[in-house]
Amino acid sequence: MSEPVLIADIGAATGKAVVVRGKTVRELAEPLTGTPLWPTALHSDTYCGSVALHRRRAEPDGYAGWTGDHKRDVVLVGRMLGLMREVAARLLRGPVDRLVLVADPAAVADPGRGGVLLEIAEIVGFAEAELLARPLALAAAPEEAGEPGKRAKPGKRAKPGKQAERAELTLVLDFGARALTASVVRADGPLVLDHEIDPGAGGHALDEALGAQLRAAGGDELAEALRTDHLPAGSAALVAKRLAFEFADTVRRMRHTVAAADLAVDAVTALGPALELRRDDLTRLLEPIAGQALAVARRLLQRHAGVDRIVLTGGLIRMPQFVQALLDGLPDRPVTWADEPDRDSVHGAVKVVRDTPQQRVDPAAANGHTPLRWDVAGARLVRWLVEPGQAYPARAELAVVRIADGSLRRLRAPDEPGILVAQHAPAGVLGGGWLATVAAPGTEPVPEPEPVPEPEPEPAVVAPRPVAVRYTRPVQLQRITTTEGPAGLAFSPHGRWLAYAGRESGATLRDEGNGRLAAVPGAAYCVEFSPDGQDLLVGSDSAVAVHTLVPGRMPSAIATDDRVIGLEFGPDGRHLAIVTEGGTTILHDWAKRRDLWGGTDGGWVVAFSPDGRLVATSTPDGRVIVREAATGTRITVVEGSVPIRSLAFSADGRVIVVNAVRGWNLRTGQQAWLHDWMPADQAATPTPDGRLLVATKRSWHLLEPGDGTVLARFDVVYGHPQALVVSPDGIRAAVGFEGTIFLVGIGEPA
């Protein structure tokens, strides 16, 4: 394990993580508090951990803890993993590209849920991620135990150095914040054989019981302190949420206090009564929870008679009376528990990762200077570990792939040392064919990689080119961090350059081949490339700034009377549609550099028909106006009532698509189709083959604009999309969010 690995477990109440490099294991401290426990909390999809907890006091509406909704919680997991990766990189002074994510056994066993977790891990920057079922980590945690066959007592530990031996079958009782997860683990593998989940035996159940008792004890005085109905309607809901958080925090504080003392005294607010909680009260409330837990444990023990060891973990184990109740009800088997139950999963995961052999695949054939293949048909290439021209030892690991069940396999080199001559597939594509060519040392020199030629300038007028693409599940290719959300995105005609606009930071030009950056200062509200790829057009406060990308040429501008918020070239490259913030659409003759016409009846979004004859613009009241591009003559008006974020034509030009959810037949003026299930927080753009790509907060959709047929749907989790564009070859897309742009592979040449 020479390459650093981040091992993380994000539970319903807290997260924890360690970073492992070689034999060194270092805990990650939460940035704000400096403790190894990270509160599982999110605020406004941006702040996480203790910062989110602090902000919820002032802005409770933006706060979200663990909800139990997998798709919502995975956004929280993604934010926390991203921050953990940043902390680990600072700690090690270098990138951390491998992740082992400890997860619930249900998520690991479900390809859909597990796949989303792996995808979000790749999105935050991990090149290689895999899941480990939490019971496997807990069963391997370094817990102290009594002598075999004797009952351990609460608070009593074995002599130093006497570790619990790895049992053949272990029953793990994990008392999480929201539920008890009871699992039977087999050491050989290791493997989770069986598990049950009981929400009535977790920490949340105890907090609810404690809250009910404290409300009853506080009586009318507490009820008066928590009242909000006397406040103005505008502030009553806000204050009620704040008080609900304060009450929940008070319950947790008193629970922790009375676990260590005979009496806990606290108050929810300065105006509220002093509340008391005695240890006897806590013991009484714990009895039914322990009873439910014992019932679950007995069912699993009946189904698996060979269990010879029981592990207790989770927050409730901190309470000696709860542990004693479990010991009194469990059968006579060794019972162990950790002194630090909040962190035992990540430390147990370290042992599992070290003890479990890496899954490797030998090459199917290799001799001398020859292509290599591995029997991994249908697997997706995660990353290359050896670069072209690099030597490797015998049976070295050349690449990592993910097979159909979501697990990783490492592709081995032949039995002899060699040199990697070429890679025949980039990361993100499906493997199974000839993925690499190798040469035996001394066989013949490895050819120098050919330099990537600079793109030839394209003609000033670009004719539409047919694009044949086989669409696949979206795969992250690159992540670009920005200072703000992009106001616009654009690919150059040759596809190597990506431009994005920032309202405050200006326009940025990025070379996809080598990552070079060029900045265009000043406010930028949209970007577009000229048809020949030699100019970058930037929408500014009173003009379209034309920045030349050819040395020796002078920049120019197209003056407007208002801020430019939209730019779109027609398919033949002759016409440029300019949309201003005041609702004016200008059609500009790009070749002759003169305006043809302007429409002042609204213009927020613009789209050209495939043949370039028609141009459609939206109005603030939700209508779509379709005109002849050459003259500006109105052809038809599509009535509507909702704000329009995107427009597109079908491939035959007969249907106009509004917001990717509604298709209007331009000949009949009637609605052609409707997707009323599509969410509003989306971004949509036509693909070069005439289809429509839609990115929402939770999924990607590929639509046939003519009849609205959904050709493909993929569940992904990024956030609220702000801008979306597809590359000219149709196999990549760039999608922008607040502070981040993802370059995503969406297909491959057909």
Side-chain angles (χ1 to χ4, degrees), residues 206-207 210 248-261 263-264 277 279 282 315-316 318-320 342:
L206 176 60
D207 287 344
L210 281 172
D249 289 343
T250 303
V251 170
R252 281 189 287 271
R253 285 196 305 270
M254 297 183 73
R255 188 230 297 176
H256 293 313
T257 301
V258 82
L263 177 66
L277 180 66
R279 177 171 289 186
L282 183 63
L316 294 183
R318 295 184 180 277
M319 302 176 188
D342 293 319

Side-chain angles (χ1 to χ4, degrees), residues 315-668:
L316 294 183
I317 303 305
R318 295 184 180 277
M319 302 176 188
Q321 61 269 53
F322 184 69
V323 175
Q324 189 61 59
L326 295 177
L327 291 175
D328 292 341
L330 289 170
D332 189 16
R333 290 178 175 85
V335 181
T336 66
W337 61 94
D339 287 341
E340 296 293 337
D342 293 319
R343 289 179 275 169
D344 51 359
S345 62
V346 289
H347 290 286
V350 173
K351 190 174 189 306
V352 173
V353 171
R354 283 175 170 169
D355 292 349
T356 303
Q358 295 282 353
Q359 300 291 331
R360 297 178 174 89
V361 182
D362 293 330
N367 54 5
H369 190 188
T370 185
L372 293 183
R373 63 174 297 275
W374 292 263
D375 292 327
V376 289
R380 182 168 64 83
L381 187 62
V382 175
R383 61 169 174 159
W384 286 98
L385 302 176
V386 178
E387 295 300 321
Q390 183 178 347
Y392 58 81
R395 300 184 66 77
E397 297 166 1
L398 301 183
V400 181
V401 299
R402 191 179 304 284
I403 63 174
D405 66 3
S407 60
L408 298 178
R409 296 290 185 271
R410 307 177 87 80
L411 305 185
R412 268 183 167 160
D415 294 335
E416 302 83 17
I419 299 175
L420 184 68
V421 177
Q423 301 166 347
H424 302 311
V429 306
L430 296 179
W434 302 99
L435 296 182
T437 295
V438 298
T443 302
E444 61 180 75
V446 178
E448 291 291 330
E450 296 183 4
V452 178
E454 289 295 326
E456 293 293 332
E458 299 189 12
V461 176
V462 182
R465 293 173 295 177
V467 176
V469 178
R470 185 174 72 85
Y471 292 95
T472 60
R473 181 178 180 82
V475 176
Q476 179 190 335
L477 303 176
Q478 191 175 4
R479 179 185 182 184
I480 303 167
T481 301
T482 62
T483 58
E484 57 183 319
L489 291 165
F491 276 107
S492 63
H494 48 61
R496 276 193 55 184
W497 297 333
L498 176 68
Y500 44 95
R503 293 178 177 86
E504 298 179 358
S505 57
T508 303
L509 178 66
R510 188 178 185 90
D511 187 305
E512 295 302 317
N514 54 30
R516 286 197 302 256
L517 290 172
V520 178
Y525 305 99
C526 55
V527 287
E528 182 63 286
F529 284 93
S530 62
D532 58 8
Q534 297 184 1
D535 297 293
L536 175 64
L537 284 66
V538 179
S540 65
D541 284 315
S542 59
V544 178
V546 182
H547 298 273
T548 180
L549 304 177
V550 178
R553 285 174 53 178
M554 296 296 293
S556 60
I558 303 171
T560 63
D561 295 331
D562 202 352
R563 177 177 295 171
V564 178
I565 60 172
L567 294 168
E568 183 78 20
F569 274 100
D572 59 4
R574 297 182 183 277
H575 295 148
L576 170 66
I578 304 170
V579 179
T580 70
E581 193 172 52
T584 298
T585 301
I586 302 168
L587 201 76
H588 185 80
D589 188 315
W590 176 251
K592 298 180 180 179
R593 295 297 199 274
R594 63 184 180 90
D595 293 343
L596 297 177
W597 53 265
T600 58
D601 46 7
W604 292 88
V605 184
V606 64
F608 282 92
S609 62
D611 59 9
R613 290 193 314 105
L614 304 179
V615 60
T617 59
S618 67
T619 66
D621 59 3
R623 293 178 299 139
V624 179
I625 300 175
V626 182
R627 294 183 173 90
E628 283 187 349
T631 64
T633 304
R634 282 197 186 192
I635 302 299
T636 187
V637 177
V638 176
E639 298 296 333
S641 59
V642 297
I644 296 176
R645 295 191 58 187
S646 68
L647 289 173
F649 281 85
S650 61
D652 58 10
R654 296 181 179 182
V655 175
I656 184 75
V657 184
V658 181
N659 283 352
V661 302
R662 189 184 305 270
W664 287 93
N665 189 307
L666 295 179
R667 292 187 177 182
T668 65

Side-chain angles (χ1 to χ4, degrees), residues 8-16 30 36-43 47-53 56 63-68 72-81 84 134 177-178 245 252 342:
D9 181 2
I10 300 176
T14 58
K16 43 271 181 186
E30 209 264 355
L37 296 182
W38 300 52
T40 304
L42 184 69
H43 195 282
Y47 305 100
C48 65
S50 297
V51 175
L53 286 182
R56 81 172 186 181
Y63 174 80
W66 197 270
T67 64
R72 179 68 184 92
D73 292 338
V74 81
V75 178
L76 171 56
V77 171
R79 285 292 182 186
M80 293 189 68
L81 284 178
M84 287 175 173
R134 187 174 290 111
R178 296 187 67 88
F245 285 135
R252 281 189 287 271
D342 293 319

Side-chain angles (χ1 to χ4, degrees), residues 43-44 54-63 225-247 269:
H43 195 282
S44 300
H54 285 206
R55 288 184 69 94
R56 81 172 186 181
R57 297 174 63 88
E59 303 169 355
D61 287 338
Y63 174 80
L226 299 178
R227 278 185 60 223
T228 59
D229 55 0
H230 62 290
L231 298 174
S235 59
L238 177 65
V239 174
K241 290 180 180 178
R242 289 174 175 170
L243 289 174
F245 285 135
E246 291 293 342
F247 184 77
T269 70

